[in-house]
């Protein structure tokens, strides 16, 4: 298989301009983005991406989960396409690059092929997966999970946001529920470019992370029920304080993760307090414990210890608890051949690189179950992500997209 020549590069200015143009849709309050899944802003971002794809001569299809597939034909009608992409949805206080770089990096691959007049044997399909973030509708990576057969489509449609709105209804409302059955596409390979979302590459001054593994995750959503009562007149021994329960569980989950250093992590990022009044002891709290580890045994051990801890804490405070697992994936090992294509591309282009484990979840983690998959990481400033201040340089974005281009094009096979 002929590798593309090392002189072939994407257009850094065009990629950057597209990233900045997309970031104008659903601006955040502090320079980032709030383009949460299935909001009007998500719909607007999709329209812009579709216009760009069509301008590049791609045919855009949409499946029943709203995932967008933009296809550039190959020269051989009988071979499987190479897929590339990520997500355009953001956190409520998200950055401009998480996910977006992988989608627009994929589009830049196509635009560069067009500039250079290169045909490939295999078609190339740029993909925007619906609801990667999982912030509005848990779990994360919902559409890629349905695609990979991990979740039922009807179960996904029934997922509700904090206001009780259903995923399926919101998908229809924004006009992006397509006709195509989910998960029937077969892929030669899937490649996802993403910012690292951690500090390793920047600290070590390395251009490219060759992602060999993804760490596993569990999301345990806990509901504590105590009793609403007056903060001033309820004697301390008579309180059934669901807020105190949440505080103790927050501490406990942190301690459990600390017991499995250096690799495990754990935190509670989602917290709701009811009725959330200054002078009412919280009668109910709902929150999600997010635990992660690259080792399945560790993840399972943390899960068990946290469940035992919750039982003890609630017993002592005389409050009830329910635990619902609202997200889960086991640690992932990416495909050797695809990983090699990424490493070889970085090497050929003269970029410094190292192997790396993804701390975040990605659509690639699910797609890896149904297609050979790999990821490319580029650094981000201070390792910061899921924050409006998330930032990368144009050079970092370009290096990542160059490596993506080479890995994808080598896999899709240039037609001489
Ligand atoms: C997805 O963004 C996750 O890692 O939570
Ligand atoms: Mn992401
Ligand atoms: Mn994210």
């Amino acid at each position: 298989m002929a590798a593309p020549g090392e002189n072939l590069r994407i257009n850094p200015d065009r990629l950057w301009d597209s990233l900045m143009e997309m970031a104008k849709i659903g601006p955040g309050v502090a320079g980032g983005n709030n383009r949460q899944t299935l909001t009007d802003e998500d719909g607007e971002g999709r329209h812009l991406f579709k216009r760009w794809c069509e301008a590049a001569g791609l045919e855009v299809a949409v499946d029943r989960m709203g995932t967008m597939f933009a296809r550039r034909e190959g020269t051989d009608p009988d071979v499987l396409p190479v897929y590339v992409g990520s997500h355009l949805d953001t956190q409520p206080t998200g950055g401009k690059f998480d996910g977006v770089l992988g989608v627009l990096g994929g589009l830049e691959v196509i635009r560069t092929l067009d500039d250079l007049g290169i045909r490939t044997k295999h078609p190339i399909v740029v993909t925007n997966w619906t609801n990667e973030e999982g912030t509005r509708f848990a779990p994360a990576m919902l559409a890629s999970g349905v695609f990979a057969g991990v979740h039922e489509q009807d179960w996904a449609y029934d997922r509700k946001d904090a206001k009780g709105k259903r995923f399926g209804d919101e998908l229809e409302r924004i006009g992006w529920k397509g006709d195509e059955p989910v998960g029937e596409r077969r892929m030669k390979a899937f490649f996802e470019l993403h910012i690292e979302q951690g500090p390793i590459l920047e600290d070590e001054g390395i251009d490219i992370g060759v992602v060999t593994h993804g760490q596993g995750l569990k999301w345990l959503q806990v509901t504590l029920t105590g009793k609403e009562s007056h903060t001033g007149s309820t004697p301390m021994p008579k309180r059934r304080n669901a807020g105190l329960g949440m505080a103790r569980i927050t501490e406990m989950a942190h301690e459990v993760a600390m017991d499995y250093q250096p690799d495990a992590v754990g935190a509670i990022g989602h917290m709701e307090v009811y009725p959330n009044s200054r002078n009412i002891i919280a009668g109910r709290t709902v929150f999600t414990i997010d635990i992660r580890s690259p080792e399945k045994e560790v993840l399972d051990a943390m899960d068990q210890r946290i469940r035992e801890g919750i039982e003890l804490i609630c017993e002592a405070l005389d409050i009830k608890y329910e635990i619902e697992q609202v997200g889960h994936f086991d640690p992932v090992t990416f495909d050797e051949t695809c990983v090699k294509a990424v490493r070889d591309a970085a090497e050929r282009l003269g970029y410094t690189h190292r192997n790396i484990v993804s701390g975040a979840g990605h659509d690639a983690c699910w797609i890896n179950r149904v297609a050979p998959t790999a990821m490319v990481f580029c650094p981000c400033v201070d390792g910061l992500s899921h924050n409006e201040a998330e930032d990368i340089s144009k050079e970092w974005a370009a290096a990542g997209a160059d490596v993506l281009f080479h890995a994808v094009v080598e896999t899709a096979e240039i037609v001489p």
Side-chain angles (χ1 to χ4, degrees):
M1 211 186 302
E6 77 215 17
N7 56 327
L8 300 187
R9 308 274 165 150
I10 60 96
N11 180 332
D13 293 329
R14 181 173 54 198
L15 173 60
W16 193 256
D17 290 348
S18 298
L19 288 163
M20 293 307 116
E21 201 57 34
M22 183 59 77
K24 289 181 187 159
I25 299 175
V29 291
N33 276 108
N34 179 4
R35 202 169 50 246
Q36 290 181 68
T37 196
L38 309 193
T39 56
D40 292 348
E41 291 76 16
D42 181 19
E44 213 185 308
R46 288 161 175 269
H47 279 294
L48 177 60
F49 174 57
K50 184 172 185 223
R51 280 202 299 282
W52 282 338
C53 288
E54 286 175 348
L58 307 184
E59 195 174 313
V60 180
V62 183
D63 77 8
R64 290 177 189 159
M65 284 295 289
T67 297
M68 302 170 67
F69 300 98
R71 177 182 173 111
R72 183 185 200 256
E73 280 311 330
T75 56
D76 186 339
D78 297 326
V79 295
L80 293 177
V82 176
Y83 283 69
V84 55
S86 190
H87 60 97
L88 292 174
D89 68 317
T90 76
Q91 291 284 327
T93 52
K96 298 195 266 296
F97 307 101
D98 173 0
V100 188
L101 178 65
V103 179
L104 300 186
L107 178 61
E108 182 54 37
V109 168
I110 304 288
R111 288 169 164 173
T112 303
L113 286 170
D114 289 345
D115 285 350
L116 301 172
I118 295 176
R119 301 298 312 165
T120 56
K121 176 174 165 190
H122 296 257
I124 299 174
V125 181
V126 187
T127 306
N128 169 32
W129 300 102
T130 300
N131 187 26
E132 191 279 342
E133 292 292 2
T135 181
R136 185 173 173 208
F137 300 98
M141 300 126 62
L142 186 64
S144 52
V146 175
F147 187 95
V150 181
H151 311 304
E152 293 291 334
Q153 180 178 292
D154 285 343
W155 178 83
Y157 281 175
D158 270 338
R159 307 307 295 158
K160 291 194 182 69
D161 72 5
K163 296 193 175 113
K165 291 193 172 150
R166 285 176 71 250
F167 177 94
D169 297 338
E170 285 293 277
L171 181 58
E172 209 155 320
R173 183 188 68 77
I174 67 160
W176 284 91
K177 192 186 221 170
D179 293 333
E180 180 179 312
V182 179
E184 291 188 352
R185 289 168 176 262
R186 296 288 164 266
M187 306 177 176
K188 179 176 187 204
F190 175 65
F191 290 93
E192 181 168 358
L193 165 64
H194 208 284
I195 60 168
E196 180 199 334
Q197 305 185 277
I200 296 169
L201 296 175
E202 189 191 33
D203 283 355
E204 297 183 5
I206 287 177
D207 304 316
I208 295 295
V210 179
V211 187
T212 55
H213 297 83
Q215 69 175 349
L217 157 156
K218 285 195 191 195
W219 281 357
L220 304 176
Q221 182 171 299
V222 182
T223 303
L224 301 183
T225 311
K227 189 167 188 178
E228 285 172 27
S229 60
H230 199 296
T231 50
S233 52
T234 313
M236 293 302 277
K238 284 196 176 285
R239 295 173 183 223
R240 295 176 56 213
N241 187 342
L244 181 58
M246 179 166 72
R248 289 190 181 169
I249 291 168
T250 304
E251 182 83 34
M252 181 268 294
H254 178 84
E255 293 304 330
V256 167
M258 288 304 287
D259 283 347
Y260 294 94
Q261 290 312 293
D263 289 331
V265 291
I268 298 175
H270 154 234
M271 297 182 180
E272 296 166 42
V273 177
Y274 298 94
N276 205 16
S277 170
R278 287 186 179 83
N279 46 6
I280 302 179
I281 292 163
R284 188 162 68 95
T285 51
V286 182
F287 52 96
T288 305
I289 305 170
D290 175 325
I291 49 174
R292 307 189 190 206
S293 165
E295 291 166 65
K296 180 169 163 28
E297 301 68 37
V298 170
L299 192 62
D300 290 342
M302 288 167 75
D303 177 329
Q304 195 184 332
R305 279 188 54 192
I306 284 173
R307 286 172 191 268
E308 288 163 5
I310 291 173
E311 185 171 354
L312 289 175
I313 288 167
C314 291
E315 208 175 276
L317 295 175
D318 192 19
I319 54 183
K320 293 202 177 73
Y321 69 89
E322 276 171 51
I323 303 172
E324 185 190 355
Q325 184 176 293
V326 294
H328 169 225
F329 54 88
D330 286 336
V332 171
T333 302
F334 287 113
D335 177 76
E336 232 172 82
T337 308
C338 291
V339 170
K340 182 173 183 306
V342 170
R343 188 180 297 114
D344 289 352
E347 193 65 35
R348 187 185 314 128
L349 288 158
Y351 291 125
T352 53
H353 58 89
R354 59 161 281 168
N355 290 352
I356 196 163
V357 175
S358 173
H362 297 288
D363 295 305
C365 297
W366 281 146
I367 299 310
N368 187 57
R369 294 163 75 110
V370 292
T373 297
M375 295 190 73
V376 184
F377 274 179
C378 72
C380 57
V381 174
D382 291 334
L384 190 65
S385 185
H386 286 192
N387 186 312
E388 293 204 39
E390 174 187 280
D391 201 12
I392 63 176
S393 72
K394 192 195 283 190
E395 291 70 32
W396 291 346
D402 274 337
V403 171
L404 181 73
F405 176 84
H406 275 246
V408 167
V409 172
E410 181 180 6
T411 309
E413 296 178 44
I414 292 181
V415 176

